Amino acid sequence: MNTTAAQRTESTVRVGRRDLFVTEAGEGAPVVLLHGGGPGATGASNYTRNIDALAEHFRVIVPDMPGYGASSKDLDHADPFGDLALAVRGLLDALDIEKAHLVGNSYGGAAALRMALDRPDRVDRMILMGPGGIGTTRGLPTPGLTSLLGYYGGDGPSRDKLETFIRDYLVYDAGSVPDELIDLRYEASIQPEVVASPPLRRPSGPTALRTLWRMDLTRDPRLARCEVPTLVVWGADDKVNRPAGGPRLASTMRDCDLFLMANTGHWAQWERAEQFNDLAVTHLRGER
């Protein structure tokens, strides 16, 4: 797929108690891209290889989710995926959008799926890439998830810890990630507000068990009733979220296709961008 650079606009949108920083490009049916939850993640950086290609066909809306980038750092840690879904719905309301396609990677995939369970009337079609919240209470955390959740612990955040997470766990080919990307993410990850209250953390306290249960979306009985047409894309070498989650979703949801990418890690939309973009356009147009 040949793409040209799309003209982008940036704005800050008031959504309930929070401000969300939003990048937009293109025209047409709205597609909201929801980024992952790794340290220093932002919407535009997570989808840097996808925005222009999708903007040739759709109105692409890319927020920094609560807790990340230039958005407000406020997040309800008792029900994080539910709160993120609420923020996405609020963003659609603020932009006067009744219904949108959702594309979510990892943490953003869990947010997209939770929104499809809470308000399927607001979701047109959906793409999930290595989504979080799939079978998380059914096994021990993966090494990649352990690295991610431990970033702010111990001796605190460092560039070395972030580089280890990205090169050893996020992608299949460590050499494919430029140093500049790691530098940008590290600087974003050490914002004082973020260090004081990391957006992605292990549940703790008396409500921890309830939070863990809420964050495993395979425990939600609505999953088997979800009729939103869904494409699940998973890297066969994902070290953060287990690829076994793909067949689980495909066998549980009513309208779910699964595409497993060989020699690909957790960042499928970045590692296999051209193929992912083609799959996304085809699915979101309903041309499968």
Side-chain angles (χ1 to χ4, degrees), residues 212-224:
L212 283 169
W213 205 262
R214 280 175 165 175
M215 292 179 71
D216 186 348
L217 299 174
T218 65
R219 300 287 186 183
D220 193 320
R222 297 176 297 175
L223 186 65

Side-chain angles (χ1 to χ4, degrees), residues 80-96:
F81 296 157
D83 196 29
L84 292 171
L86 183 65
V88 176
R89 296 202 309 273
L91 177 61
L92 295 184
D93 290 341
L95 297 178
D96 198 25

Side-chain angles (χ1 to χ4, degrees), residues 1 5 13 31 33 72 91 94 102 113 139 145 158 177 201 212 224-225 227 241 266 284:
M1 178 182 291
V13 180
V31 178
L33 309 184
S72 296
L91 177 61
L102 299 183
L113 182 54
L145 188 57
S158 71
V177 181
R201 63 178 76 168
L212 283 169
R225 302 193 297 270
E227 296 183 348
N241 291 330
H266 186 56
L284 296 178

